[in-house]
Amino acid sequence: MEQLKNFAEPKDVVMGICTSGNAPSVVNTIEYASWIGCRTIGITGCEGGDVTRLAEVAIQVPVTHAGSIEDVHMIICHMIGYYFVDFEAAEQGA
């Protein structure tokens, strides 16, 4: 969260990723980001925990096996990354 305190600004997007949704560091980061005016996305598994409750947008992988949750998290992060690559290419006329 210390990096967030140094660099985050209102309207930035902060994404918290946690299999249980209850890791204190991720929960605190989402709370702080919301408090300073950032947009928040929570990516969790299992029951979603506090991160799902606190984030503006919650993506929950509804399984309990941590390895499976992490695999889906990786796919979600790749999809988000490719969205921005494709968006930048479209903006440049490619």
Side-chain angles (χ1 to χ4, degrees), residues 3 6 10 19-20 39 46 48 50 64 67 69 74-75 81-82 84:
Q3 292 174 338
N6 290 327
T19 56
S20 70
R39 309 297 306 264
C46 304
D50 290 335
T64 56
I69 294 167
M74 182 178 62
I75 293 166
Y82 282 121
F84 287 105

Side-chain angles (χ1 to χ4, degrees), residues 23-76:
S25 59
V26 179
V27 171
N28 292 339
T29 297
I30 294 293
E31 286 177 328
Y32 177 77
S34 296
W35 181 71
I36 65 167
C38 293
R39 309 297 306 264
T40 56
I41 300 171
I43 303 177
T44 66
C46 304
E47 299 296 319
D50 290 335
V51 171
T52 296
R53 180 178 54 80
L54 294 168
E56 285 181 71
V57 175
I59 303 170
Q60 184 180 345
V61 181
V63 297
T64 56
H65 185 270
S68 297
I69 294 167
E70 291 168 352
D71 289 344
V72 176
H73 286 177
M74 182 178 62
I75 293 166
I76 292 167

Side-chain angles (χ1 to χ4, degrees), residues 74-94:
M74 182 178 62
I75 293 166
I76 292 167
C77 289
H78 279 247
M79 292 171 67
I80 292 169
Y82 282 121
Y83 168 82
F84 287 105
V85 168
D86 292 343
F87 179 79
E88 184 175 307
E91 287 287 308
Q92 294 177 0

